[in-house]
Amino acid sequence: MANMPISEMRLPPHLAHLLAARRLDTAKDVLSLPEVELMAVLDAGLPTTRAAVAHVSEAACPPCQTALALLEECVRLGGGGRLATTLRGLDEALGGGIPMGKLTEVVGPSGIGKTQFCLKLALLAALPEYYGGLDGRVVYIDTESKFSSRRMIEIGQKSFPQIFRQEGLAQKMAGRILVMRPTSLADFTKSLEQMKVTLLQHDVKLLIVDSMAALMSLENEKATAGFRQHPLRWALSFIKSIAEFSRIPVVVTNQVRSQSNDDGYHFSFEVDRKDGNNCAERFDSHLIAALGIQWAHAVTVRLVFESHSGHRFMKVAKSPMSPAVAFPFVVESSGITLLSDEGIDVTGPEITSIRCQGQNVLAR
Amino acid sequence: MSFVYGAQNAWDMLSDEQSQKHITTGSGDLNHILGGGIHCKEVTEIGGVPGVGKTQLGIQLAINVQIPVEYGGLGGKAVYIDTEGSFMVERVYQIAEGCISDILEHFPHSHDKSSSGQKQLQPEHFLADIYYFRICSYTEQIAAINYLEKFLGEHKDVRIVIIDSVTFHFRQDFDDLALRTRVLSGLSLKLMKIAKAYNLAVVLLNQVTTKFTEGSFQLALALGDSWSHSCTNRLILYWNGNDRYAHLDKSPSLPVASAPYAVTGKGVRDAVSPNHKRVRVA
């Protein structure tokens, strides 16, 4: 809507001519100017300017729906649209699985099982519907070269032995998963742009980016600090728009880094009170997600994978439909398995913290 | 009586204010620090870290504004402008159900009332009275806010406009920061005007960012200092130990205060913690 040419908006002729004469061709051109500046550009009085802004705004404003209409649309498209993870506790907590049309993030230290989780999701989306899958293709953007077809098929054989016994099924399932290995951010954005329209036509039911943070750190080495945030912002809104436009679940993994300053992340009014009790925590090293706070705001569901007290946990750290719960899990030959479907309630700062013990979590 | 066109004397303003009903947040403690709830005719900004419950509070307000007048609500409708795509309609349904079950609990005799009152108390009715705009760029956001004036003229029973979040697109792709500030101040003026003219509450949800002040990084609401003038009230949601707290950071009439709240399956409610004392800052 924002790029709709003004000539197609059916404005009153005198306004249309006025805007065309000043080379204000799109809604963006008109609306990014403050009123006074627009008056100067148009060389017109306040009433004319306001009329022009009102007309352009009405045309560029997206249509309004009631929440009820949204709900009905959701139901019509099949029960809200979820990709079941087959991890019963997690599915229950998320209201059925990974939501379609939304951005879901998996964040955790290296080796904890993020890629294992992604492999399982990719497989599930490719499975036929009567086995609980989405019966579609999967686009898997693998920036760290971690995708392993052998491992994925192994997960499939171990978790669905009855299905994979069928002749040629492994080949069929694996054939539906398209793996892309972009080498730079430019590469990545270019293929995303090309993909947007074709995703629907080719029956793609899941998009995975493993990992987003790796792409950004690639770029950081080249770009200057001031420019750093920009490609991330663009990718962020573009990936979100892909999710909504094609109504597929989008899963993105994020790395962690250790936080260097520990008293920084409070509001200014909190600092005075925090001084007293901060000392105890000061020497705790803790991890934070590699992509910063702006990224965290934009994801709809955030799953944190972490390890402490000898177990690995997956935690629903941010979700509009469920409280924060954690599930202990293990990585087996059949992929990720929950040790318990009963979630452990998490409260307070624990929800967003990411813990990792020094143990080698890869040892199985 | 009035010799200045459009002016109103202070006494009339007071009686106006006293007759105004406020939109309940669902939590009594939160209502208390807000002076009864979210006020109509004012712009309230709500900020906080990701996952603390901004969207939840936004959805809760969109439902609570519709509590019928006979049950002590405003009986209004809501406009929800979603820039982030975080509006989950199943969750809205849950919160509506939670709100209805609370109403029935507080008014156990409502079953005896005429069936027309009962008919309103369906989650579907609550959902039908939320007008939802999905915004995908800052141009659309500006357009939607400009268009609101006309929209509200046609839908006079709207009592709350929620923008979730006001920040998202403006942090994405605005290169000229000086221009951004001017455009934003134009928007905030419009929102204030709308709040006054249509007697409704404007609630802006805002993201947080880190800001370097006095030698350390601190959290601050996004969009900078000049933007912070654009709201009448400013509420910051944050974690205090294990509890979610709300901090009233700015208000022309109320003291700076904090209160705990909780996000439950039914929506935003009072925190049920043993230490029920209110923390006072300042």
Side-chain angles (χ1 to χ4, degrees):
Chain A
M1 299 271 176
N3 298 319
M4 187 201 265
I6 294 209
S7 51
E8 288 172 21
M9 288 182 182
R10 296 206 209 115
L11 296 193
H14 69 282
L15 291 177
H17 291 317
L18 184 62
L19 293 174
R22 300 298 187 274
R23 297 186 172 252
L24 297 170
D25 299 324
T26 64
K28 190 172 179 173
D29 296 339
V30 177
L31 298 178
S32 339
L33 288 175
E35 201 168 66
V36 184
E37 283 173 45
L38 190 63
M39 273 170 73
V41 172
L42 291 181
D43 194 15
L46 193 57
T48 317
T49 312
R50 288 207 169 143
V53 169
H55 275 101
V56 172
S57 294
E58 191 173 346
C61 180
C64 158
Q65 281 177 293
T66 68
L68 186 64
L70 281 179
L71 184 71
E72 283 162 357
E73 195 185 333
C74 237
V75 172
R76 191 167 50 78
L77 290 166
R82 301 294 159 118
L83 167 60
T85 62
T86 68
L87 305 172
R88 200 165 57 87
L90 183 67
D91 282 347
E92 272 165 23
L94 292 177
I98 308 284
M100 292 189 186
K102 308 279 172 191
L103 190 57
T104 301
E105 181 197 33
V106 179
V107 56
S110 65
I112 188 93
K114 300 187 295 292
T115 301
Q116 300 296 321
F117 186 70
C118 291
L119 289 177
K120 185 156 189 167
L121 289 181
L123 187 76
L124 285 167
L127 279 184
E129 263 169 36
Y130 47 89
Y131 294 120
L134 296 178
D135 202 12
R137 288 184 205 222
V138 176
V139 173
Y140 196 111
I141 301 176
D142 178 28
T143 61
E144 295 172 331
S145 295
K146 278 187 190 155
F147 182 88
S148 153
S149 309
R150 182 177 299 161
R151 174 67 183 135
M152 192 187 68
I153 291 169
E154 185 192 12
I155 293 176
Q157 281 166 342
K158 290 280 161 52
S159 26
F160 306 98
Q162 70 284 18
I163 315 174
F164 273 79
R165 218 172 286 140
Q166 293 171 34
E167 195 67 29
L169 193 99
Q171 191 189 349
K172 194 175 159 203
M173 292 298 108
R176 286 179 171 177
I177 296 165
L178 310 171
V179 181
M180 280 172 37
R181 295 207 159 126
T183 49
S184 69
L185 189 66
D187 210 15
F188 171 73
T189 53
K190 209 172 103 193
S191 39
L192 270 190
E193 272 173 336
Q194 289 167 347
M195 217 186 320
K196 188 174 180 182
V197 210
T198 53
L199 281 178
L200 270 180
Q201 295 162 2
H202 292 93
D203 217 24
V204 172
K205 291 289 170 64
L206 174 67
L207 173 67
I208 294 179
V209 184
D210 179 23
S211 78
M212 197 68 203
L215 272 178
M216 295 307 153
S217 42
L218 267 179
E219 205 62 17
N220 283 356
E221 288 160 20
K222 297 173 208 158
T224 56
F227 188 64
R228 212 189 63 171
Q229 285 288 319
H230 197 80
L232 174 64
R233 289 175 193 174
W234 182 87
L236 185 62
S237 48
F238 196 77
I239 290 178
K240 284 195 88 154
S241 73
I242 286 188
E244 277 180 41
F245 178 77
S246 358
R247 296 188 170 282
I248 58 170
V250 175
V251 178
V252 175
T253 67
N254 190 354
Q255 302 166 337
V256 294
R257 58 183 171 82
S258 51
Q259 192 176 354
S260 42
N261 56 331
D262 53 359
D263 55 350
Y265 290 86
H266 293 292
F267 290 105
S268 51
F269 64 82
E270 284 183 274
V271 169
D272 300 337
R273 282 182 294 136
K274 289 280 168 185
D275 267 353
N277 55 21
N278 232 5
C279 302
E281 305 165 17
R282 184 146 293 177
F283 299 104
D284 265 5
S285 77
H286 44 214
L287 300 168
I288 57 165
L291 302 174
I293 200 162
Q294 190 183 1
W295 175 266
H297 272 298
V299 300
T300 308
V301 177
R302 171 174 255 191
L303 302 175
V304 170
F305 285 29
E306 60 172 1
S307 76
H308 60 88
S309 38
H311 286 293
R312 296 187 212 188
F313 293 90
M314 65 171 77
K315 202 161 56 175
V316 183
K318 179 188 179 188
S319 159
M321 54 263 165
S322 54
V325 283
F327 301 96
F329 75 93
V330 285
V331 181
E332 295 172 337
S333 55
S334 63
I336 285 187
T337 320
L338 295 188
L339 291 174
S340 151
D341 288 320
E342 293 293 312
I344 305 161
D345 285 334
V346 235
T347 50
E350 261 180 54
I351 294 178
T352 40
S353 71
I354 306 168
R355 283 173 290 181
C356 178
Q357 284 177 336
Q359 59 166 324
N360 181 5
V361 282
L362 267 176
R364 284 201 273 271
Chain B
M1 166 83 186
S2 177
F3 57 92
V4 184
Y5 176 73
Q8 195 186 13
N9 72 43
W11 184 254
D12 288 348
M13 280 171 77
L14 179 67
S15 55
D16 255 19
E17 266 167 43
Q18 282 168 343
S19 65
Q20 276 282 343
K21 278 189 198 162
H22 307 306
I23 304 165
T24 167
T25 56
S27 152
D29 290 337
L30 213 55
N31 288 344
H32 181 82
I33 65 165
L34 287 168
I38 301 291
H39 295 219
C40 287
K41 294 191 180 179
E42 288 183 5
V43 178
T44 304
E45 184 180 29
I46 300 175
V49 294
V52 77
K54 298 186 296 293
T55 299
Q56 299 291 320
L57 188 53
I59 295 175
Q60 185 73 56
L61 291 170
I63 295 290
N64 284 355
V65 74
Q66 302 182 44
I67 297 174
V69 181
E70 59 263 39
Y71 300 110
L74 271 76
K77 295 184 178 178
V79 168
Y80 201 100
I81 300 179
D82 181 14
T83 66
E84 296 193 357
S86 51
F87 188 82
M88 303 284 289
V89 72
E90 298 107 313
R91 180 63 182 149
V92 183
Y93 194 89
Q94 275 179 10
I95 291 178
E97 284 180 324
C99 175
I100 290 168
S101 78
D102 276 18
I103 292 175
L104 294 178
E105 212 171 278
H106 277 89
F107 297 87
H109 303 299
S110 61
H111 298 284
D112 318 335
K113 280 194 183 171
S114 62
S115 60
S116 65
Q118 276 291 300
K119 224 185 248 170
Q120 287 181 9
L121 290 180
Q122 295 291 330
E124 285 80 7
H125 280 91
F126 279 71
L127 262 60
D129 285 347
I130 298 176
Y131 300 111
Y132 174 83
F133 290 89
R134 175 72 178 102
I135 302 294
C136 298
S137 70
Y138 75 84
T139 314
E140 286 184 11
Q141 190 172 336
I142 298 169
I145 291 169
N146 287 335
Y147 172 61
L148 266 185
E149 219 165 341
K150 190 173 173 202
F151 184 86
L152 294 172
E154 292 160 3
H155 299 83
K156 296 258 187 218
D157 38 10
V158 170
R159 278 290 154 282
I160 192 167
V161 172
I162 299 153
I163 306 184
D164 177 14
S165 71
V166 75
T167 340
F168 184 64
H169 294 297
F170 282 95
R171 286 177 87 182
Q172 296 326 314
D173 31 33
F174 232 109
D175 297 324
D176 183 346
L177 287 184
L179 181 65
R180 184 180 91 167
T181 308
R182 292 203 297 279
V183 169
L184 278 170
S185 68
L187 285 188
S188 74
L189 278 178
K190 263 182 203 129
L191 290 170
M192 282 197 191
K193 199 176 123 198
I194 287 171
K196 292 257 172 355
Y198 295 95
N199 183 25
L200 50 78
V202 173
V203 173
L204 309 174
L205 306 186
N206 195 354
Q207 304 178 340
V208 296
T209 184
T210 45
K211 184 180 171 187
F212 193 75
T213 34
E214 293 162 16
S216 68
F217 283 98
Q218 291 187 338
L219 288 176
L221 297 197
L223 298 183
D225 292 327
S226 46
W227 171 256
S228 60
H229 292 286
S230 62
C231 54
T232 326
N233 308 296
R234 177 173 247 193
L235 189 70
I236 296 178
L237 309 180
Y238 65 104
W239 289 105
N240 183 11
N242 286 340
D243 301 314
R244 292 170 206 257
Y245 267 70
H247 177 86
L248 186 69
D249 195 44
K250 171 188 171 184
S251 161
S253 54
L254 295 162
V256 169
S258 306
Y261 70 99
V263 178
T264 68
K266 286 162 98 180
V268 176
R269 294 292 182 271
D270 272 333
V272 273
S273 56
N275 49 339
H276 217 66
K277 63 170 189 247
R278 208 155 278 132
V279 189
R280 264 233 144 77
V281 202

